[in-house]
Amino acid sequence: MNRLTRLDCSLNCGFQDHVIARVARIEFQYPTQELAQLCWLIQLNPGLTHLSLRSVDFRSSLEVRSLARAINSLDHLSHLHIDSIPSRDNWRHVYWTMFLCCSPSLESLVIRAGDVPNEFEPQLTPGLEDLDVMFGPLRLYSDSEPRRNLKHLVLPMSKQADMSLYFHILRLCPLLQELDLVLIGSREKDIRMIGPWIQQHCPEVSIVRIRQAQRYHVEDVVLEMLAGLNTSWNALHTVYYEKFVDGDARSMVNMVHQHHRTLREVRLIDARTVYSDGIRALLTTCAGLERLEIVNDEGPTGRARIEDLVAQPWVCHGLRHLQMRVIWGEFEDRCPYHLQDPNTIMSPKDFTRWVLLEKFYFQVGSMTKLEVLGLKAYLEVDIDTIPEYELYNGIEDDMRDKASFPQLFTLGNEGTDRVGYLNYLCRLKNLRELRGSIHLVSEEIEATFRQREVEWVAHHWPRLKVIELIQYQAAKPKRLKGNTHLNWLMKHLPGIDIRRPPFVNENNPGYLHEWE
C-alpha cells in the first residue's frame, strides 16, 4: 500500500471497525510493537490527505519523534486526528511540535487528550545514544508563518497546561472557522483569557464547540466568553456545548442577544440547567435559527415552561430541527381528557391550561420547515401520593416515560365531543423524524392514535422515516401482531422505523464526522 489518500488506524484492540470505500482502516492487537511499523506505513504514502490515529500509546520519546517525522513527510495532508496526547504540562511542547510539523496545507487538526501509561518527559531532540540520532532534529515549519488553510481546530484545555500554547496556535490561525475546546479541569481565568485571543487573532470563527471531560461548572464563564465576542468581527452561527451542567439563565440570554442575528445552530447536550428564559430568547429573537437541540436523557432538567414558550411569537421560521423538553403543567381534573364525560364542566384553571397548550401546538405547527421534531413532555411526579405497595425502583422514570402532550397526536372524536390537535401539524410537509413523547406506553396515545391518525400521517407527512411509537427491538418490525393500524402505516410508508432508539450514547456520533 503506497498510494493511500486516507488512513484511519486504531492502536486499540477493542476498536469497532467501520467500512468506508477507499479508506484503509487498520486495527493493531499489540500497539507497543506496532507504532514503528505504522510510522513506516505513513511514510510509504506521501499522498495521504487524511490521517486519523486512535488510542496512540506513547511509550518513549523515540516514538513521539518518529510519529512527528512521519507526519512531517506528508506534504498534502489536510486532515489530522491524533488521539491521545497527554494533557500534562510537560507534554505541552508536544502539542506545539505536532502543530509545527504539519504541512501548511492542513485544514483540520484534532488533538484529543489522554493518559500516558508511564511517567517520562518527552525529549524532542534526539541524544547521542538515541536510535534516530542520524536523522538530526525534527524538521518544523516556521512558527511565525500563518496557517491560512487551517479552518478547524480541536484542542484540549487543561489546568496543568500553560495558556501560551493556545495563544501561539491561535495566533497562527487567522482564517479559523471552527474551534473545539475540550475542557479538562480548566480554570475560569484561562477560559476568560481565550475569548479576547479568538477575537483578536481568529475573527472568522463561526462555530464553537465546548466539551467538558467532566462536570466542572464553568458554563457561565464560557457563555460570558461567547457573549463577549463582538459580532461586528465575528459571525457566530453554531454553539455546541456538551455536559452543560450549571448555566445561569442570564448568561444564556446575554449570549443569545449578542449573537441573535447570526445564530443558526444551538446544541446543548447533557443539559442539566437550561432555563426557559434562554430557550425563549433563542426562539423569539434568532430569526435565522435552524437547529435547537436541548438534550438531557439522564433526568428531567433542561426544560422550558409552556408559559414562556407561548409568551411571544417564534421568529425562527427556518427551523429544521427542534428537540427539547416542555413543562406543560397538569390539569385539576385527574381523569384523562379522552375518558372524561362530555358533559363535564371544565374548571377555569384547566381552561387556561388548554389555551396555553393550543397556542403551543399552533406555534410548533407554524414551523413549516421542520424536518426533525423531538418534544418530550415533563411530568411532575409526586411519589408520596402513590401507595407503598405500588412503589418500585425506577417508578418515577417509568411514569415520566408515559407522559404525553394532551390530544396533540389525535384528530379527536366527534362522537364523544373530544377535540384533537393533530391537524395543527398539517403544514409540516418536510417532517422526516418524529421523536419524544409519542410512545404507545402512554395510555392516551395508545387509545387515541388509531386508524384515522395513521392515515392522516401517511397523507400529510409523506417523507416521514422515523416515528418513535414502540419499544426498541433488535430488528425493524415488518408486522405487529394485533396492531392493524400500525401495520397499515408500515405498509403505506415503506421503510419507516416505528421503534424508539436503543440506549446508546448518541451524543458522540463517532469520528467519521471529522472527515465530513
Side-chain angles (χ1 to χ4, degrees):
M1 294 188 293
N2 58 15
R3 292 189 293 177
L4 293 176
T5 58
R6 298 188 178 203
L7 175 60
D8 190 316
C9 180
S10 173
L11 301 182
N12 183 344
C13 61
F15 179 75
Q16 295 296 317
D17 188 32
H18 296 262
V19 178
I20 284 193
R22 301 183 302 280
V23 180
R25 299 188 179 277
I26 302 173
E27 181 176 338
F28 289 128
Q29 298 290 334
Y30 306 100
T32 56
Q33 301 177 18
E34 304 294 350
L35 187 58
Q37 294 182 21
L38 173 61
C39 293
W40 169 74
L41 178 61
I42 292 172
Q43 290 176 310
L44 278 179
N45 289 275
L48 280 171
T49 60
H50 293 66
L51 178 61
S52 183
L53 308 176
R54 314 279 161 173
S55 302
V56 178
D57 194 7
F58 294 108
R59 300 286 178 148
S60 68
S61 295
L62 175 61
E63 293 182 339
V64 178
R65 294 193 299 269
S66 297
L67 182 58
R69 286 194 176 94
I71 292 172
N72 184 250
S73 69
L74 305 176
D75 293 335
H76 306 287
L77 189 65
S78 61
H79 293 71
L80 175 63
H81 183 136
I82 303 179
D83 173 9
S84 314
I85 296 179
S87 59
R88 300 179 183 177
D89 190 48
N90 60 354
W91 282 73
R92 178 177 61 87
H93 52 305
V94 177
Y95 286 68
W96 181 234
T97 300
M98 290 296 178
F99 177 79
L100 292 180
C101 77
C102 292
S103 166
S105 62
L106 197 68
E107 299 175 12
S108 174
L109 175 62
V110 178
I111 296 180
R112 305 287 188 192
D115 296 324
V116 63
N118 56 329
E119 286 289 349
F120 71 94
E121 184 167 349
Q123 302 298 322
L124 296 175
T125 300
L128 293 176
E129 297 181 357
D130 288 322
L131 295 175
D132 59 338
V133 64
M134 73 289 293
F135 295 119
L138 298 177
R139 184 171 72 93
L140 303 177
Y141 290 93
S142 171
D143 63 356
S144 60
E145 187 69 26
R147 301 302 187 88
R148 299 189 179 278
N149 289 313
L150 194 64
K151 302 297 192 298
H152 179 210
L153 178 64
V154 179
L155 283 178
M157 288 183 62
S158 170
K159 63 183 178 182
Q160 289 105 352
D162 187 333
M163 286 300 293
S164 63
L165 161 71
Y166 306 100
F167 299 155
H168 282 315
I169 293 178
L170 290 176
R171 178 173 53 86
L172 297 179
C173 305
L175 301 181
L176 194 68
Q177 296 176 0
E178 301 181 44
L179 178 62
D180 290 44
L181 297 177
V182 184
L183 308 182
I184 307 175
S186 304
R187 295 167 294 195
E188 289 189 9
K189 67 182 184 69
D190 294 338
I191 298 173
R192 293 183 193 277
M193 289 170 61
I194 206 165
W197 275 81
I198 298 174
Q199 186 73 59
Q200 180 179 355
H201 297 287
C202 311
E204 296 194 16
V205 167
S206 60
I207 299 175
V208 176
R209 301 184 183 93
I210 308 294
R211 295 176 172 89
Q212 295 192 71
Q214 298 179 19
R215 305 185 188 282
Y216 293 116
H217 305 282
V218 292
E219 290 77 5
D220 287 338
V221 180
V222 174
L223 292 176
E224 290 169 13
M225 182 266 286
L226 294 177
L229 297 178
N230 187 345
T231 52
S232 64
W233 290 91
N234 191 287
L236 186 67
H237 68 67
T238 296
V239 173
Y240 174 100
Y241 205 131
E242 192 171 310
K243 287 188 172 65
F244 189 96
V245 184
D246 199 25
D248 180 78
R250 195 71 252 162
S251 299
M252 173 66 76
V253 171
N254 289 340
M255 189 277 289
V256 172
H257 283 169
Q258 178 66 12
H259 300 287
H260 71 276
R261 294 182 182 87
T262 59
L263 276 174
R264 297 290 182 270
E265 181 175 326
V266 176
R267 300 179 65 196
L268 306 178
I269 308 300
D270 198 0
R272 295 298 181 91
T273 49
V274 181
Y275 297 96
S276 282
D277 289 348
I279 299 173
R280 178 177 61 187
L282 286 162
L283 293 168
T284 60
T285 64
C286 300
L289 194 66
E290 296 179 0
R291 180 169 185 164
L292 176 58
E293 187 176 354
I294 302 173
V295 179
N296 178 32
D297 289 331
E298 296 182 8
T301 49
R303 54 192 186 262
R305 296 189 175 277
I306 196 169
E307 292 85 352
D308 292 323
L309 291 175
V310 302
Q312 298 171 258
W314 297 359
V315 298
C316 46
H317 298 292
L319 197 65
R320 298 179 184 278
H321 187 129
L322 176 61
Q323 191 167 353
M324 63 181 176
R325 191 185 299 264
V326 179
I327 304 175
W328 63 262
E330 59 183 5
F331 295 117
E332 287 186 330
D333 191 336
R334 296 293 183 174
C335 179
Y337 177 77
H338 68 283
L339 297 178
Q340 289 179 10
D341 188 311
N343 298 318
T344 300
I345 298 177
M346 189 179 298
S347 71
K349 287 186 177 180
D350 283 356
F351 179 79
T352 301
R353 184 63 47 189
W354 277 113
V355 170
L356 293 173
L357 284 166
E358 186 173 10
K359 287 182 178 179
F360 175 65
Y361 298 160
F362 179 81
Q363 195 74 277
V364 173
S366 67
M367 301 292 104
T368 56
K369 302 292 186 182
L370 274 175
E371 298 176 10
V372 177
L373 177 61
L375 297 176
K376 286 193 174 182
Y378 176 67
L379 176 68
E380 295 282 0
V381 176
D382 185 3
I383 61 174
D384 292 335
T385 63
I386 302 174
E388 187 173 344
Y389 64 87
E390 293 184 8
L391 294 176
Y392 57 88
N393 187 31
I395 187 173
E396 292 182 68
D397 291 336
D398 286 350
M399 291 182 67
R400 289 195 179 101
D401 199 38
K402 297 178 180 179
S404 62
F405 291 95
Q407 301 297 113
L408 178 56
F409 298 108
T410 180
L411 296 170
N413 188 327
E414 294 181 1
T416 58
D417 198 25
R418 299 294 84 179
V419 67
Y421 293 99
L422 186 57
N423 263 324
Y424 278 45
L425 308 182
C426 67
R427 292 186 291 167
L428 306 186
K429 302 296 185 183
N430 298 308
L431 198 63
R432 295 183 291 102
E433 300 180 16
L434 182 59
R435 302 181 179 276
S437 296
I438 56 170
H439 314 312
L440 294 182
V441 293
S442 162
E443 294 178 2
E444 175 183 302
I445 294 179
E446 170 67 25
T448 61
F449 191 81
R450 309 302 293 178
Q451 186 63 30
R452 287 178 65 216
E453 283 72 21
V454 296
E455 292 180 11
W456 185 98
V457 165
H459 176 69
H460 289 88
W461 299 336
R463 300 181 181 180
L464 196 67
K465 298 298 181 185
V466 174
I467 180 169
E468 295 182 353
L469 292 170
I470 66 173
Q471 297 288 353
Y472 177 73
Q473 303 175 11
K476 185 192 296 186
K478 296 181 179 179
R479 287 191 60 81
L480 294 174
K481 185 177 181 180
N483 238 314
T484 56
H485 57 291
L486 293 188
N487 290 334
W488 187 96
L489 180 65
M490 289 186 286
K491 178 181 178 181
H492 287 79
L493 288 180
I496 192 170
D497 192 346
I498 65 172
R499 302 169 298 171
R500 299 173 62 179
F503 181 78
V504 294
N505 184 8
E506 295 180 342
N507 305 330
N508 182 17
Y511 62 84
L512 299 181
H513 293 273
E514 303 291 354
W515 288 356
E516 292 178 355

